[in-house]
Amino acid sequence: MPWPFDTTPDAAASDLTSGSRTSDSHISEMERRMRAFPWETTPVGPVHTWPHSLKSAVRTVLDLRLPAYLAWGDAYVQFFNDAYVPILGDKKDAALGNDVRVTWAEIWPTIGPMWQQVRQGQALGSEGLPLTINRYGYYETCYFSYSYSPIYGDTGKVEGVLVAFAEITKAVLGERRHAYQIKLADTLRRETEFNPMLKATIRLTSEYFTNSNVAYVELDEAKRIFTVKEEWKDGVETGAAQGTLPVDMLSPSQLELLRAGTTICIDDVSTDPECAAVAGPCLMLGIHSVIVIPLKDGTRLHGAGFLYKDHPYRWTDDERTLAEDLARRTWEALRRIRAEEALREETRMLELLNRAGSVLASTLDIDTLLQAVTDAATELTGAEFGSFFYNGKDANGDAYLLYTLSGAPREAFEKLGHPRPTAVFKPTFDGGPPIRSDDITKDPRYGSMGPHHGMPKGHLPVRSYLAASVSSRSGEVLGGLFFGHSQPKMFDERTEQLISGFVAQAAVAIDNARLYDMAQRAAREREGLLASERAARAEAERHSKMKDEFLAMLAHELRNPLAPITNAAQLLNMPSVDEKLRLKAGSIISRQVRHMTELVDDLLDVSRVTRGLVKLEHETLELSAVLRAAVEQARPHIEAREHTLVVEAPEQQVVVVGDRTRLVQVLVNLLNNAAKYTPPRGRIVLRLEAGLESARVTVIDNGAGMDAKLLPHVFDLFTQAERTPDRSQGGLGIGLALVKTIVQMHGGQVEAHSDGPNLGASVSVLLPLAGADAASPQTPHQSRAGRRGVAPCLLTIVDDNTDAAQSLAVLLRAQGHTVSVFEDGVRTLASNDIADTQAFILDIGLPDMTGYELARRLRREHPHATFIALTGYGQARDRDLSKQAGFDHHLVKPVEFRALADILAGLDCTPAQEPAIAGMK
């Protein structure tokens, strides 16, 4: 009987006698080792004590020609044949008689649950089982076709597991490599753009090299960094893209190997002598074993392919060769695509430059040209948004205006104001070289100037920044082109070169367009003068016609009451008049006299208001109370025509500072107008609304409405809708003019709207809300005037309206002031009489220069003088322009003389020598 059935020393000779062996040399190595093995030291005990089932199983293992091993008992004692020894690798000496769970601890979590099923009597088997084993001191993934069979003991219970298998790693890897190479070839053939191909090939490689990170990095020699362009693991992006690695993570000798085109392969960074200096940083990055494949562009090292694992790993020659082959095939395809993309980009740039040149040469209209320059330059640079700040001047004399935009709405810049002379902007406006920044928010020149210290709130999200100055042939800076992108590093040196060449062409085109524009402007100015003359003539004719109509209507309105008064007087002269007729005649006379008095009062009222003779009694007012008072006064007129009146007001108080009587007069006038021009039984709405800075009171009716031609003149004096012979509505056309003037005296505005005849109308009054200091019934001017006397001042008035200037001078002289009067800016500047002027009162619309320009020039010679703008323009924009020009006060014509007097009362006009002279007297 063969071993282990016969354990005597002459068992081998017995085998030869029986013919089962031809020579002792035919006994396998593992059988010799098993015969000599001290089984008594293991859980199975001495061989002669083994059950027959164990002996049969061991004999079967030894006789198998496939790799096989047996695990017996609960201790999983291990027996195996010669064919199994290569599978064990360095574990072969310690495996015999040992516990399988110790020998294969690294794969026991995988095979253990399977063996539990086998111990229950179930045979298992399959092909291509992947197991990551450590048989040579490092981990490797191998593939096996296997069979797990239960081995029954003498009692019929499963006592062991018989494993027979074949390692098919090379076959599986060959098939996977072949399939991968087919996919890679298909990808290289299909993709035509650099980034999609790079992403696709890195993903495929990461799927093939499982449990490995695959990265493509580019070398920046100047910054000595590797930039990670793509990194994947097991077909999934790791998120490391756009990160950087220091070049010093490679030793100098390793870097030289890469420059020479040699692949670096390291199984364990922690033990490799070449990595001693950089092992720490590499291990922190998770790089324990790595293959680095150089990617060269000619003689220059462009970048590298990284294949690394987060644990020590022995890279096989096949893996290394395959990685090199794949990297270089991919790199060649990427280089080809990059070259094609560069060629396409160059072609696109040439086409853009050609198209831009055609546009520059095809137009002389400055607006069209500047927009074309901005659009073409934005496209050339690849910016998300571009802008051109043109060195033209607005009405205020400000230069470097945002003239054109590309890629962004103008609303994105409306609230940002003019560019400031910051370290980033100023060089461009000074005609310096282009400025380029990969990330302007990290640029040391950025954010150094207040108040924003960077981009103001609401600015476009600029990271990449490029700016180029546009200068004419004479050296004049015409403006600046500015480009932005929300992503960093979008503009390179090539972009800067392109834009430098383009701005030179643009400057020539702009120069030509400006010359043409100057000629066109001169022609337009001539046409404008003629048009202004024609318009002035038409306006004079219109006012003359309005005057004639008004005088006719005034005569009509004054004669109307005279007829009933005359009749009533004749009635009283009749001898037979009784008391009833006498009372009726008296009532007629009283009513008609009251009507005539109201007409005369209206005329006098509008005269006083328009000439600034009305003095407002300021107090803090709650507008709801003003509305109630106005409704009470207008109610008889409204009820007489059976109108429905609706009053809408918020619950919270709306407080303004003003003259209660005059504001009530304004609302009564509007309510009476609405009642007058609305057919009986109409609807009138009186609405009060409060905004952030102003209150709005609106009177809305559903009456006769207004023609579109009338709306622009509805607040002019003596303006009415078409007058009819019957004069059924009555009135002199002065009501809305009076409303406008009173509201403007309160610092407010009036607005009128109508959709057309018979579609109703609305008139709104806007009044500034009272500030925190408005609780006192006295205004600041009144308080100041009450606190100090009026010192005589040396004043200069400049106004081309001689009557207005002279009449104002008379009033001021009556106050004790010394006044000089001029009609234009040139004579003012040339006069020696203004040397000691303490306050200048300037009109804005002068014939030879604007009041803004005159104020700037006078301010240089009279830095301590007070400047007062006296103008018909009273909008917020006009007040801003006055302030920017250096005016201390802004008064709107017709000015209330008390307001001007209060300003002058606040000045220190006493000459420096006066106290000494007074003392001598």
Side-chain angles (χ1 to χ4, degrees):
M1 294 289 288
W3 187 90
F5 296 101
D6 186 354
T7 59
T8 61
D10 59 348
S14 175
D15 291 341
L16 290 173
T17 303
S18 65
S20 61
R21 294 287 190 274
T22 58
S23 168
D24 187 57
S25 62
H26 289 168
I27 297 176
S28 67
E29 177 64 27
M30 285 312 303
E31 183 173 340
R32 287 193 181 93
R33 289 186 58 192
M34 286 187 191
R35 288 187 181 196
F37 193 81
W39 295 105
E40 62 275 9
T41 63
T42 69
V44 297
V47 177
H48 69 270
T49 65
W50 290 0
H52 185 273
S53 53
L54 174 57
K55 293 179 180 180
S56 296
V58 170
R59 188 69 253 173
T60 299
V61 168
L62 290 172
D63 290 339
L64 286 171
R65 292 298 173 258
L66 287 174
Y69 67 94
L70 170 69
W72 187 265
D74 293 336
Y76 292 114
V77 178
Q78 192 172 200
F79 307 83
F80 49 86
N81 60 11
D82 286 1
Y84 181 63
V85 173
I87 306 298
L88 287 167
D90 294 343
K91 296 181 177 184
K92 63 181 183 297
D93 295 331
L96 186 62
N98 203 351
D99 192 327
V100 172
R101 293 172 294 186
V102 175
T103 303
W104 296 115
E106 67 268 27
I107 62 172
W108 185 250
T110 301
I111 66 174
M114 300 167 67
W115 281 27
Q116 287 298 324
Q117 298 180 53
V118 177
R119 293 293 298 268
Q120 298 298 320
Q122 181 179 352
L124 299 177
S126 69
E127 293 187 0
L129 174 67
L131 293 174
T132 300
I133 60 177
N134 185 344
R135 52 185 173 181
Y136 296 111
Y138 56 85
Y139 287 91
E140 57 182 319
T141 300
C142 301
Y143 297 84
F144 301 92
S145 294
Y146 69 95
S147 172
Y148 293 160
S149 302
I151 301 300
Y152 294 89
D154 293 349
T155 61
K157 177 185 174 184
V158 176
E159 296 289 351
V161 177
L162 175 63
V163 180
F165 61 90
E167 183 174 356
I168 58 172
T169 301
K170 287 187 177 181
V172 171
L173 293 181
E175 290 177 2
R176 290 185 63 229
R177 184 182 299 114
H178 180 67
Y180 165 72
Q181 289 174 329
I182 291 174
K183 288 183 179 179
L184 179 65
D186 181 60
T187 299
L188 296 178
R189 182 174 59 255
R190 182 182 66 251
E191 296 293 349
T192 58
E193 295 184 10
F194 185 91
N195 288 330
M197 176 179 283
L198 177 63
K199 191 178 290 289
T201 54
I202 297 293
R203 177 181 59 79
L204 281 175
T205 306
S206 73
E207 290 174 350
Y208 178 79
F209 290 99
T210 56
N211 299 317
S212 300
N213 290 63
V214 181
Y216 165 74
V217 303
E218 290 184 351
L219 174 62
D220 188 328
E221 292 277 13
K223 297 181 180 178
R224 293 190 59 77
I225 59 171
F226 287 112
T227 300
V228 181
K229 296 298 184 180
E230 290 288 336
E231 183 177 278
W232 293 64
K233 182 177 182 180
D234 296 330
V236 179
E237 287 185 281
T238 64
Q242 303 308 317
T244 59
L245 300 171
V247 170
D248 295 336
M249 70 176 292
L250 298 173
S251 68
S253 60
Q254 288 173 333
L255 192 58
E256 286 305 313
L257 287 174
L258 291 181
R259 295 187 194 281
T262 303
T263 298
I264 298 172
C265 183
I266 301 171
D267 294 340
D268 190 346
V269 169
S270 63
T271 60
D272 193 294
E274 281 292 331
C275 298
V278 296
C282 289
L283 295 176
M284 288 182 64
L285 292 169
I287 303 175
H288 288 245
S289 57
V290 62
I291 296 176
V292 186
I293 305 164
L295 303 175
K296 299 183 68 178
D297 195 350
T299 59
R300 182 176 68 91
L301 179 63
H302 182 88
F306 273 69
L307 177 63
Y308 68 92
K309 292 180 180 289
D310 59 3
H311 56 270
Y313 181 78
R314 181 178 176 275
W315 300 99
T316 66
D317 290 341
D318 285 347
E319 288 174 324
R320 172 176 172 168
T321 302
L322 178 63
E324 288 179 319
D325 179 60
L326 298 176
R328 286 172 179 145
R329 285 176 60 192
T330 301
W331 177 238
E332 287 304 318
L334 291 172
R335 286 181 63 197
R336 172 180 52 78
I337 288 178
R338 179 167 278 174
E340 292 173 353
E341 288 181 345
L343 181 60
R344 287 196 297 270
E345 179 65 13
E346 189 69 20
T347 303
R348 186 182 73 87
M349 287 297 177
L350 290 174
E351 290 176 351
L352 285 175
L353 286 169
N354 182 59
R355 188 163 66 247
S358 300
V359 171
L360 297 182
S362 65
T363 180
L364 287 172
D365 178 70
I366 191 69
D367 290 342
T368 304
L369 177 63
L370 293 180
Q371 187 63 60
V373 166
T374 309
D375 292 341
T378 303
E379 191 173 3
L380 273 174
T381 59
E384 275 186 319
F385 20 79
S387 61
F388 186 81
F389 281 82
Y390 179 47
N391 191 11
K393 293 189 177 181
D394 61 8
N396 193 33
D398 289 322
Y400 293 113
L401 308 174
L402 175 60
Y403 210 83
T404 54
L405 278 166
S406 184
R410 183 164 288 273
E411 292 76 19
F413 286 87
E414 278 186 345
K415 298 180 181 179
L416 302 184
H418 297 288
R420 299 171 299 141
T422 64
V424 174
F425 281 139
K426 190 174 185 297
T428 302
F429 294 131
D430 287 346
I435 292 181
R436 173 168 55 93
S437 176
D438 288 341
D439 189 341
I440 195 64
T441 62
K442 298 178 181 178
D443 195 293
R445 295 167 292 187
Y446 172 81
S448 59
M449 180 179 285
H452 306 298
H453 293 287
M455 296 176 203
K457 185 178 180 181
H459 198 284
L460 292 169
V462 176
R463 297 285 298 280
S464 295
Y465 173 83
L466 176 63
S469 180
V470 183
S471 300
S472 70
R473 285 165 289 191
S474 63
E476 177 191 359
V477 179
L478 302 175
L481 278 165
F482 298 84
F483 310 98
H485 201 288
S486 59
Q487 298 300 319
K489 300 180 180 179
M490 297 303 296
F491 307 133
D492 54 18
E493 187 175 352
R494 169 69 169 156
T495 311
E496 185 177 327
Q497 292 172 350
L498 281 172
I499 204 62
S500 296
F502 178 76
V503 295
Q505 298 181 49
V508 174
I510 295 172
D511 260 348
N512 295 336
R514 280 169 46 134
L515 291 172
Y516 177 77
D517 185 59
M518 289 172 63
Q520 292 296 307
R521 192 182 306 125
R524 286 195 298 271
E525 287 176 357
R526 288 194 298 272
E527 287 296 323
L529 289 173
L530 293 174
S532 297
E533 183 182 350
R534 289 192 292 268
R537 189 182 302 116
E539 185 69 8
E541 291 174 356
R542 187 178 73 86
H543 281 289
S544 178
K545 181 181 178 182
M546 288 173 56
K547 179 195 69 175
D548 293 342
E549 291 179 353
F550 168 72
L551 290 175
M553 197 53 55
L554 176 61
H556 179 275
E557 291 294 329
L558 290 174
R559 286 193 185 101
N560 274 345
L562 291 177
I565 290 173
T566 301
N567 293 336
Q570 292 176 355
L571 180 64
L572 290 174
N573 288 330
M574 293 176 60
S576 59
V577 62
D578 56 16
E579 183 65 18
K580 183 177 180 181
L581 286 175
R582 188 185 65 78
L583 291 174
K584 185 175 181 180
S587 176
I588 291 172
I589 292 172
S590 297
R591 188 164 56 252
Q592 295 304 319
V593 168
R594 186 166 61 252
H595 179 60
M596 291 184 69
T597 301
E598 289 174 355
L599 290 175
V600 173
D601 286 345
D602 282 349
L603 284 171
L604 293 175
D605 208 11
V606 75
S607 175
R608 288 195 300 270
V609 169
T610 54
R611 287 187 295 144
L613 301 180
V614 171
K615 298 177 179 58
L616 298 181
E617 298 296 332
H618 287 291
E619 59 178 309
T620 302
L621 300 173
E622 204 285 303
L623 278 182
S624 294
V626 175
L627 262 64
R628 289 193 293 272
V631 169
E632 286 304 313
Q633 291 190 32
R635 188 177 299 280
H637 195 183
I638 294 172
E639 291 178 348
R641 297 179 65 83
E642 302 180 18
H643 294 314
T644 299
L645 175 63
V646 177
V647 180
E648 300 174 358
E651 293 183 1
Q652 69 272 21
Q653 289 190 341
V654 182
V655 180
V656 300
V657 173
D659 187 312
R660 177 185 181 86
T661 302
R662 288 298 180 179
L663 290 180
V664 170
Q665 179 185 6
V666 164
L667 297 184
V668 170
N669 207 325
L670 295 181
L671 289 170
N672 286 341
N673 258 12
K676 181 191 301 184
Y677 290 103
T678 301
R681 291 177 293 280
R683 175 183 170 86
I684 300 173
V685 177
L686 177 59
R687 178 179 297 155
L688 171 61
E689 300 168 292
L692 294 176
E693 298 181 354
S694 62
R696 177 185 289 268
V697 182
T698 307
V699 176
I700 307 169
D701 65 63
N702 60 348
M706 288 179 274
D707 188 271
K709 295 180 181 179
L710 180 64
L711 275 175
H713 309 289
V714 71
F715 293 106
D716 293 349
L717 195 59
F718 311 135
T719 297
Q720 276 190 320
E722 183 179 356
R723 295 179 171 91
T724 56
D726 63 356
R727 292 296 301 148
S728 59
Q729 303 301 338
L732 298 175
I734 60 177
L736 290 182
L738 188 62
V739 166
K740 176 183 178 181
T741 305
I742 292 175
V743 171
Q744 287 181 339
M745 291 171 66
H746 284 79
Q749 303 175 48
V750 289
E751 299 173 354
H753 173 76
S754 175
D755 292 329
N758 301 317
L759 295 176
S762 65
V763 180
S764 296
V765 173
L766 284 82
L767 296 170
L769 293 174
D773 58 346
S776 171
Q778 267 192 321
T779 66
H781 289 313
Q782 290 170 326
S783 300
R784 185 173 65 223
R787 288 195 303 268
R788 57 182 297 177
V790 179
C793 299
L794 297 177
L795 309 177
T796 295
I797 299 174
V798 184
D799 193 334
D800 59 337
N801 187 328
T802 304
D803 293 340
Q806 294 296 342
S807 60
L808 179 60
V810 169
L811 291 173
L812 292 171
R813 287 172 183 140
Q815 295 286 321
H817 302 295
T818 301
V819 185
S820 299
V821 179
F822 298 92
E823 297 180 1
D824 55 48
V826 172
R827 295 180 186 176
T828 305
L829 294 169
S831 174
N832 295 324
D833 297 336
I834 66 171
D836 298 322
T837 297
Q838 293 163 316
F840 289 92
I841 303 172
L842 308 181
D843 187 19
I844 298 302
L846 298 174
D848 52 354
M849 66 179 71
T850 67
Y852 303 132
E853 180 63 24
L854 179 59
R856 290 190 185 96
R857 296 174 67 173
L858 288 171
R859 175 70 76 180
R860 298 171 194 154
E861 302 297 331
H862 304 271
H864 303 297
T866 298
F867 286 79
I868 303 168
L870 185 59
T871 175
Y873 303 105
Q875 302 298 319
R877 170 66 174 167
D878 303 315
R879 296 180 185 276
D880 290 341
L881 291 174
S882 295
K883 185 175 181 181
Q884 294 171 15
F887 281 102
D888 301 291
H889 304 278
H890 185 103
L891 300 177
V892 180
K893 295 178 180 179
V895 66
E896 183 187 0
F897 185 74
R898 174 63 63 84
L900 179 58
D902 286 346
I903 291 173
L904 298 177
L907 303 181
D908 184 7
C909 294
T910 304
Q913 302 91 337
E914 188 169 328
I917 295 172
M920 290 174 64
K921 290 182 179 179

